[in-house]
Amino acid sequence: MIVEIGHFALVLALGVAIVQGVVPLMASSVNNRRWMGIAGPASIAQFLLLCVSFAALTHAYVTSDFSVLNVANNSHTDKPMLYKVSGVWGNHEGSMLLWVLILATFGCAVEVFGRNLPTGLKSRTLAVQSLITVGFLMFILFTSNPFERLINVPINGNSLNPLLQDPGLAFHPPFLYLGYVGFSIAYSFAMAALIEGRVDASWARWVRPWTLAAWVFLTIGIGLGSWWAYYELGWGGWWFWDPVENASFMPWLAGTALLHSAIVVEKRGALKNWTIFLAIIAFGLSLMGTFLVRSGVLTSVHAFATDPERGIFILILLCIAIGGSFALYALRGPSLSGGGLFKPISREGSLLFNNWILTTATGVVLLGTLYPLFIDAIDAGKVSVGAPFYNRVFIPIMTPLVILMALGPLMSWKRTDAKAVLSRLYLVYGATLVAVVLTYILKGDDGWGGYFGMGLATWLATGVLWDLAERIKLGRTSFGDSMKRLIRQPRATWGMTIAHFGLAITIAGMTGAGNWKVENIQVMQFGEQLDVAGYTYTFESVRDVRGPNYDALEGTFTVHKGDKYITTLKSENRHYDTGGMPTTEAAIYTMFLGDLYAVVGDKSGDGYVTRLYWNPLVAWLWGGTLLLALGGVVSLTDRRHRIGAPKRAQKAAATEGAKA
Amino acid sequence: MKSRLFFFIPLILFGVLILYFAVGLTKDPSKLDTDVLLNQPMGDFKLVPVQGRSEGLTIDDVKGQVSLVNFFGSWCVACLQEHPFFLQLKENNVIPLYGVDWDEKKPNDVVRWLARHGDPYTKIGVDVTGETIIDWGITGAPETFVVDKEGIIRYKHIGPITERSWRETLWPLIVELRKQ
């Protein structure tokens, strides 16, 4: 019964979404305020209905109701409760339901937090948002219904993928989706602005926090996914440039560009139609990511062969959503130009340059991801594009961006004297030089990647700190006064400082993990010792252990540095009762300068295959990513976001309009 | 005027992308491997009977007339989807349907499964060693093959057979093969 209620709520939500998508748009074209107002209550109703629907599916998972096909296929009686719940979105149908639920949540949030938005802009935004929901609800109801019943009820369920039973993987899809779907708000605002034909500072002020929130979620989601790959796949890698990862990375790059260009619209009224364009592609790439992952166009998925309808449905959705918005952009975009003028060397100029680079980088990832598809489509064979391509292309593209990141915040709006900026930075040059030389001395001739990366990280980190020092006039006024200024810095400045500094840390982590990793793969017998990067591993024992629903082979190492005991590492090789691929739980001991990482594999002769790694600076990678997200959160709490779009901004926009 | 056209660039690029996607959708990346078997004669096999039965399944059983070979298991949820349809096939004596049961945890599982859901198969063999699975390039269950009178594999269907796939693909092919 509860399952049917969930199904029914889903159908009702579709009805509400259609009303919310159509009526306000029609009403706002004839400026009927009453009917425009329907968007608000409808968005709340839609949200509540989808909550009911999602709760019903969750209930079916929690109670292991195997009369539901989706539950029978993706859950198992023996699963721990946590994974029964995460199983709800661990499959195609359920994850799509989560998608629309988040979509509706964001719509509802616009209604709740957007009380002081202009009625026209709000109702149009909610209508566009709802039209996206309509598309996805139809997709769910017609091709991927999670509430489908099964006539012959199995006893235990048939969960086949034990890899999904992991906290890292259980929680990274919701974050990714919050990020993907969060960009839908920026997109809906952009569409509403195109329909209205008006983009001003208050518009940008409204779009930015939503984009920022989505970006924070996406950053955390990507970080979690990468962390999961690191400890679960057992190869010590943290980024593989596979299509699924790229699908989340492209919206991230585009979203990062959008965050920065929205600042220019807000402060200076320039780059309007460029910002609109970025809002379209950020969400467009999220949609495309869904398409690539779900349709099986790129990866061979068994389910696809049985169900090409899904792929075609998403393709049509994509055509309407992105094609439609690009068409609208082509027609209306030209009328949105204008705004503050600026010289190439200025704050605006550096932000525009940032945008070009990020967009180019997005294009490169897009090309790399789709290249195999292009080749296959013209029947030239099947190829795959791997890490070497990305490393070779990506690093040269991103390097100027990182160099500029340290300089941009030091520049003033409109125009800047480049020489004056550059001549102030002697401390930054010095620190960078020291880092390069120090890395060279410590690591020797290990390829240029090492000291180049460390130099870049130091350049950015010290550049960020220098900028902060200038802002608080450190050394140019009394220390007490500087501290007062430090406290009074707006949260947005703090956010930027933390996030940019976080990226510097991440770059250092990538450099370390990418260049100085040590890996040893060998057969070891009990008691045997091996030296990896200065740490002595002793292979102690192997024993069988029993988990809640799996058997595992547990390998134990003790690690010493010289005579000093460091830690005991226990890795697991799990075989789940339900069958499927065995999974690896690597044993990891994290230290400031690197991770000790050990995996015990299969038996070979009278020993075991062991893989021992030294992964330098990996913790910096995750730490830096966290700082990036934290920076976003801090910036989100900035005063000007909390008080919404103030009258002042509208006045400013008006005076600007008067000037022009 | 020129700058106006500039705004159409994203739309045009997107159009090209969609074209590629549409072509890409028609191509299944997993197809290459599985199509290799098509239009090849079956490899020799001799499968043991289901526990408690006397007759297994051999290559000679399948040869001689157009028939279906279905790879299934009691663990396979999707197999239950096509099961009622198979029972109908048997009831109306439409075509011989041979079953290959594989990857059972306990030999008794399939016996219980057949008792519970009914047995639509003309004959069933159990692939204990997994050799036949590999020979036929099975990637999951259910998978169903159409084999002609000479014992040549003519078609592979991945996933449960639906009424639509039967009506549109399988049945016309069977009629065609019977004429030969």
Side-chain angles (χ1 to χ4, degrees):
Chain A
M1 183 58 194
I2 288 175
V3 172
E4 275 65 36
I5 293 174
H7 193 172
F8 186 60
L10 202 59
V11 178
L12 274 182
L14 176 62
V16 173
I18 291 173
V19 172
Q20 188 191 333
V22 176
V23 176
L25 277 186
M26 288 166 65
S28 54
S29 72
V30 295
N31 208 9
N32 181 332
R33 287 188 156 256
R34 255 200 196 163
W35 285 99
M36 269 149 85
I38 203 171
S43 70
I44 295 173
Q46 189 195 98
F47 167 70
L48 292 176
L49 283 168
L50 287 171
C51 280
V52 169
S53 190
F54 192 78
L57 187 64
T58 311
H59 179 265
Y61 267 88
V62 170
T63 57
S64 291
D65 182 355
F66 294 130
S67 69
V68 180
L69 178 69
N70 188 253
V71 182
N73 278 342
N74 299 298
S75 195
H76 196 282
T77 358
D78 294 344
K79 264 193 182 178
M81 184 50 75
L82 173 70
Y83 300 116
K84 280 185 184 163
V85 175
S86 71
V88 176
W89 58 77
N91 61 84
H92 169 74
E93 290 82 358
S95 67
M96 286 291 110
L97 189 59
L98 182 65
W99 231 96
V100 285
L101 176 62
I102 295 174
L103 209 52
T105 311
F106 275 103
C108 187
V110 168
E111 162 62 17
V112 173
F113 296 113
R115 298 268 179 222
N116 50 3
L117 263 175
T119 319
L121 181 64
K122 185 163 92 176
S123 55
R124 284 191 172 110
T125 303
L126 286 176
V128 174
Q129 182 79 2
S130 190
L131 286 176
I132 308 169
T133 317
V134 170
F136 272 89
L137 278 176
M138 282 173 35
F139 176 63
I140 293 176
L141 286 167
F142 295 142
T143 73
S144 331
N145 188 351
F147 296 108
E148 204 167 303
R149 289 278 196 180
L150 192 62
I151 309 297
N152 302 297
V153 180
I155 305 161
N156 280 328
N158 193 36
S159 158
L160 283 172
N161 201 344
L163 274 182
L164 296 175
Q165 259 192 53
D166 178 274
L169 198 62
F171 294 107
H172 104 270
F175 276 106
L176 278 184
Y177 281 11
L178 279 166
Y180 278 173
V181 183
F183 287 134
S184 68
I185 291 289
Y187 170 88
S188 297
F189 267 108
M191 286 300 99
L194 281 178
I195 296 170
E196 283 189 344
R198 205 163 61 95
V199 175
D200 52 27
S202 65
W203 179 87
R205 192 161 286 199
W206 264 102
V207 169
R208 219 177 100 81
W210 296 104
T211 314
L212 202 53
W215 181 87
V216 168
F217 285 125
L218 196 55
T219 307
I220 296 174
I222 292 174
L224 274 177
S226 161
W227 180 55
W228 169 78
Y230 174 66
Y231 72 76
E232 179 77 17
L233 297 183
W235 290 101
W238 39 270
W239 191 259
F240 299 90
W241 295 108
D242 79 8
V244 180
E245 284 172 329
N246 291 348
S248 60
F249 192 44
M250 288 185 283
W252 188 86
L253 287 169
T256 311
L258 174 59
L259 277 183
H260 290 94
S261 76
I263 298 175
V264 182
V265 181
E266 185 188 340
K267 301 269 189 199
R268 300 279 309 135
L271 303 185
K272 284 175 189 166
N273 53 51
W274 173 249
T275 305
I276 297 271
F277 173 72
L278 285 176
I280 298 172
I281 64 168
F283 184 60
L285 286 167
S286 302
L287 277 181
M288 209 183 63
T290 312
F291 171 69
L292 293 178
V293 176
R294 293 294 159 205
S295 70
V297 162
L298 282 182
T299 42
S300 142
V301 178
H302 204 143
F304 169 64
T306 59
D307 210 357
E309 279 97 354
R310 280 181 189 168
I312 291 164
F313 204 110
I314 301 187
L315 191 65
I316 292 170
L317 253 178
L318 214 60
C319 265
I320 298 172
I322 308 180
S325 50
F326 276 156
L328 193 61
Y329 179 72
L331 295 175
R332 289 286 175 86
S335 64
L336 293 176
S337 50
L341 297 173
F342 57 88
K343 296 265 185 236
I345 298 175
S346 62
R347 183 84 66 87
E348 295 98 318
S350 71
L351 285 168
L352 184 60
F353 188 69
N354 141 312
N355 274 227
W356 282 342
I357 295 181
L358 285 169
T359 317
T360 311
T362 313
V364 165
V365 181
L366 186 68
L367 188 70
T369 312
L370 297 181
Y371 186 70
L373 187 74
F374 293 148
I375 295 300
D376 191 25
I378 57 168
D379 276 320
K382 303 208 180 240
V383 297
S384 68
V385 177
F389 163 79
Y390 293 103
N391 290 343
R392 200 162 294 173
V393 180
F394 216 68
I395 294 171
I397 291 179
M398 294 307 258
T399 301
L401 179 69
V402 177
I403 292 175
L404 196 74
M405 253 174 102
L407 302 176
L410 291 164
M411 296 183 184
S412 49
W413 297 104
K414 288 189 193 173
R415 85 170 77 77
T416 306
D417 182 3
K419 261 189 222 149
V421 170
L422 291 172
S423 64
R424 298 203 301 261
L425 292 175
Y426 48 89
L427 270 178
V428 178
Y429 303 135
T432 308
L433 194 67
V434 169
V436 171
V437 172
L438 207 64
T439 316
Y440 188 79
I441 294 170
L442 283 176
K443 285 292 167 186
D445 206 12
D446 246 4
W448 57 273
Y451 35 88
F452 179 74
M454 281 308 178
L456 210 54
T458 312
W459 163 264
L460 178 54
T462 49
V464 169
L465 293 178
W466 182 267
D467 174 53
L468 189 65
E470 278 198 1
R471 278 170 200 266
I472 62 171
K473 295 190 190 290
L474 190 67
R476 277 184 290 150
T477 169
S478 74
F479 185 73
D481 188 40
S482 281
M483 284 304 113
K484 264 186 217 147
R485 282 170 192 274
L486 186 69
I487 294 164
R488 269 192 252 119
Q489 284 300 314
R491 298 270 179 91
T493 306
W494 275 115
M496 177 196 74
T497 305
I498 295 172
H500 285 191
F501 193 77
L503 188 73
I505 303 286
T506 307
I507 292 171
M510 287 174 182
T511 306
N515 288 288
W516 306 315
K517 179 169 150 177
V518 180
E519 54 179 299
N520 286 17
I521 303 172
Q522 63 284 309
V523 175
M524 283 175 92
Q525 283 158 10
F526 298 137
E528 203 175 320
Q529 290 192 330
L530 193 79
D531 196 69
V532 180
Y535 292 88
T536 312
Y537 287 71
T538 314
F539 188 26
E540 298 290 349
S541 63
V542 159
R543 67 185 183 114
D544 291 319
V545 291
R546 173 75 200 161
N549 58 347
Y550 57 85
D551 289 312
L553 190 74
E554 186 191 80
T556 308
F557 296 89
T558 50
V559 185
H560 289 78
K561 184 164 191 162
D563 290 333
K564 199 177 143 227
Y565 168 79
I566 304 285
T567 185
T568 302
L569 292 173
K570 288 178 193 295
S571 80
E572 281 186 11
N573 241 352
R574 291 184 182 167
H575 292 263
Y576 283 85
D577 300 344
T578 45
M581 292 258 294
T583 70
T584 314
E585 300 288 316
I588 301 171
Y589 182 73
T590 302
M591 293 176 295
F592 185 67
L593 284 179
D595 283 11
L596 305 171
Y597 187 108
V599 176
V600 172
D602 297 327
K603 200 169 165 52
S604 163
D606 39 348
Y608 285 86
V609 177
T610 62
R611 296 201 299 271
L612 306 175
Y613 299 83
W614 166 246
N615 288 321
L617 302 185
V618 168
W620 294 38
L621 250 172
W622 322 130
T625 312
L626 271 181
L627 282 180
L628 274 173
L630 180 69
V633 173
V634 169
S635 178
L636 206 48
T637 61
D638 192 84
R639 200 162 162 275
R640 70 178 203 276
H641 294 320
R642 266 178 295 158
I643 53 177
K647 298 258 156 52
R648 197 156 38 93
Q650 282 161 7
K651 230 189 278 169
T655 47
E656 215 163 82
K659 255 186 267 166
Chain B
M1 200 57 216
K2 232 179 207 169
S3 70
R4 268 193 166 269
L5 286 178
F6 191 69
F7 284 84
F8 278 91
I9 292 173
L11 186 64
I12 294 162
L13 284 178
F14 178 73
V16 174
L17 197 63
I18 284 294
L19 262 176
Y20 273 109
F21 278 154
V23 176
L25 258 185
T26 62
K27 308 203 170 206
D28 182 351
S30 63
K31 268 246 164 76
L32 267 189
D33 318 314
T34 55
D35 279 358
V36 173
L37 274 176
L38 287 191
N39 301 320
Q40 302 277 330
M42 294 180 285
D44 192 24
F45 62 88
K46 198 172 175 181
L47 298 169
V48 297
V50 171
Q51 201 178 53
R53 295 191 189 180
S54 53
E55 277 192 316
L57 185 68
T58 66
I59 187 164
D60 298 324
D61 294 327
V62 182
K63 276 184 184 169
Q65 54 181 324
V66 180
S67 47
L68 296 178
V69 180
N70 174 252
F71 288 76
F72 74 103
S74 68
W75 43 269
C76 155
V77 177
C79 295
L80 283 176
Q81 245 181 50
E82 59 183 6
H83 206 76
F85 178 71
F86 283 170
L87 289 168
Q88 273 180 39
L89 285 186
K90 184 172 192 179
E91 205 174 311
N92 301 319
N93 216 354
V94 181
I95 186 171
L97 172 67
Y98 298 101
V100 179
D101 172 42
W102 62 290
D103 207 25
E104 295 294 348
K105 258 197 234 167
K106 282 175 270 169
N108 194 27
D109 286 353
V110 68
V111 180
R112 294 215 320 256
W113 191 78
L114 289 168
R116 186 163 169 205
H117 302 293
D119 179 0
Y121 298 103
T122 314
K123 275 184 170 182
I124 303 176
V126 182
D127 185 19
V128 182
T129 58
E131 278 171 50
T132 313
I133 300 304
I134 294 166
D135 279 353
W136 288 62
I138 302 297
T139 57
E143 284 183 9
T144 308
F145 294 81
V146 181
V147 181
D148 72 6
K149 291 171 203 166
E150 276 77 44
I152 295 168
I153 299 171
R154 290 300 185 185
Y155 187 75
K156 174 182 188 174
H157 181 90
I158 295 175
I161 291 176
T162 58
E163 206 170 305
R164 193 171 146 196
S165 56
W166 176 260
R167 207 176 52 228
E168 288 177 6
T169 320
L170 290 164
W171 182 241
L173 178 71
I174 291 164
V175 171
E176 189 63 29
L177 289 174
R178 279 185 177 162
K179 280 187 203 151
Q180 289 173 3

